[in-house]
Amino acid sequence: MGLLADSPPSLAEAVGRYKNTAAAVIEAYDLLDVPPAHQVSPRLLDAALRERMDAMQHLEADATAGDARTAARLVDEAIHLLMDLSAWAQRLGLDDIEPRFDELMLALADWAVSRGGEVHMIGPLADALAKRANREHDLAALERLTRLGTRIIRSTAPRARGASGPPHPDSPWRLLHLNCGIVATRTRNPALMEHVFEELVRNLPTEAPRFFAEGMQQLERLDFPLAARAVMARYFDRWTRPRMN
């Protein structure tokens, strides 16, 4: 793992944070005079999520209780439910709570990855990674996010990557790489940038020229260290300049 290694996520901490977040959504829902009909309520979503999280904790406590595939399935189901609960938070005007769901999705995905599980729900994770990074300015925290994004990329199930050839602009596989590349650039860490850029050019070579051309344009307008600029310039030269002749 080397440069991309990081501390395993704490499932107990993620579950604790989830319970506090869900309680706020349920409380707001219960204050509605006339709850919307024909919709799954936050209480039902919470019950389903607690069931999955209990199963995750059982899996973590007993190595013989399941395998990586089980961990991945539980996290996929939990992310689906978290998306629905997050939608309720938005509907109820709890804008300050939505970032907590992003954190939870990323933490649960990292837990599955740490157990060797494949990631399937990469669309919500690509979005959560970008939004989390946009709220972060600490370089060390951005480095941790970059490492997490790379672990998710390397653990993405083949079927979730889409068909071979140039990806659709809205492809979650494409967005995950681009978002991770942007976060890596913001770390200003040359070695980490190289790791992520190599992942991009290996998995999505058709995206490389545009990514590095836009990266050079961005760095020209920002006060970036020379070492970080040199990394971007080297990839720009390799992937863009030859195609301009």
Side-chain angles (χ1 to χ4, degrees):
M1 296 281 285
L3 183 68
L4 298 176
D6 212 343
S7 300
S10 168
L11 181 60
E13 183 179 6
V15 171
R17 290 181 180 179
Y18 162 73
K19 290 178 178 178
N20 291 334
T21 302
V25 179
I26 292 170
E27 181 180 1
Y29 176 82
D30 288 345
L31 292 175
L32 293 177
D33 292 334
V34 184
H38 309 300
Q39 294 186 17
V40 179
S41 72
R43 284 190 179 278
L44 290 176
L45 292 170
D46 175 58
L49 271 161
R50 286 173 182 262
E51 180 181 326
R52 270 70 176 182
M53 289 181 177
D54 286 346
M56 290 179 207
Q57 291 182 306
H58 178 62
L59 194 64
E60 186 172 62
D62 183 0
T64 65
D67 57 10
R69 184 175 298 179
T70 303
R73 175 182 58 78
L74 289 169
V75 169
D76 282 345
E77 293 173 357
I79 289 176
H80 270 294
L81 293 165
L82 283 170
M83 290 173 63
D84 290 340
L85 199 55
S86 178
W88 267 114
Q90 294 177 32
R91 227 173 290 163
L92 294 166
L94 304 175
D95 297 334
D96 59 322
I97 282 182
E98 185 182 0
R100 302 185 203 174
F101 288 106
D102 295 333
E103 297 275 2
L104 284 163
M105 289 181 197
L106 292 171
L108 293 181
D110 204 8
W111 175 81
V113 167
S114 73
R115 299 189 65 85
E118 291 186 332
V119 182
H120 300 85
M121 295 286 295
I122 59 173
L125 295 175
D127 188 45
L129 181 72
K131 290 189 292 183
R132 175 68 182 82
N134 287 339
R135 296 189 295 268
E136 187 58 70
H137 300 286
D138 179 72
L139 296 182
L142 289 171
E143 288 186 2
R144 289 192 292 273
L145 271 178
T146 302
R147 294 185 178 100
L148 170 56
T150 303
R151 289 196 296 276
I152 291 172
I153 286 172
R154 292 183 176 179
S155 301
T156 297
R159 290 176 59 183
R161 303 182 182 195
S164 59
H168 187 275
D170 294 329
S171 160
W173 183 235
R174 173 182 179 272
L175 294 176
L176 181 58
H177 279 78
L178 297 185
N179 291 347
C180 193
I182 291 169
V183 181
T185 303
R186 288 185 56 200
T187 70
R188 307 182 178 203
N189 181 327
L192 196 54
M193 290 169 64
E194 286 191 29
H195 273 280
V196 174
F197 293 172
E198 283 300 314
E199 206 77 41
L200 172 65
V201 301
R202 179 168 55 251
N203 294 330
L204 296 175
T206 58
E207 295 295 318
R210 181 175 178 180
F211 178 84
F212 296 121
E214 292 181 352
M216 285 297 294
Q217 292 176 359
Q218 289 295 322
L219 293 195
E220 287 175 359
R221 295 194 289 266
L222 299 171
D223 182 23
F224 260 64
L226 290 177
R229 289 176 180 271
V231 172
M232 186 68 76
R234 185 167 71 251
Y235 279 86
F236 174 79
D237 288 340
R238 186 194 307 174
W239 288 92
T240 306
R241 292 195 188 280
R243 290 161 176 78
M244 294 171 64
N245 295 331

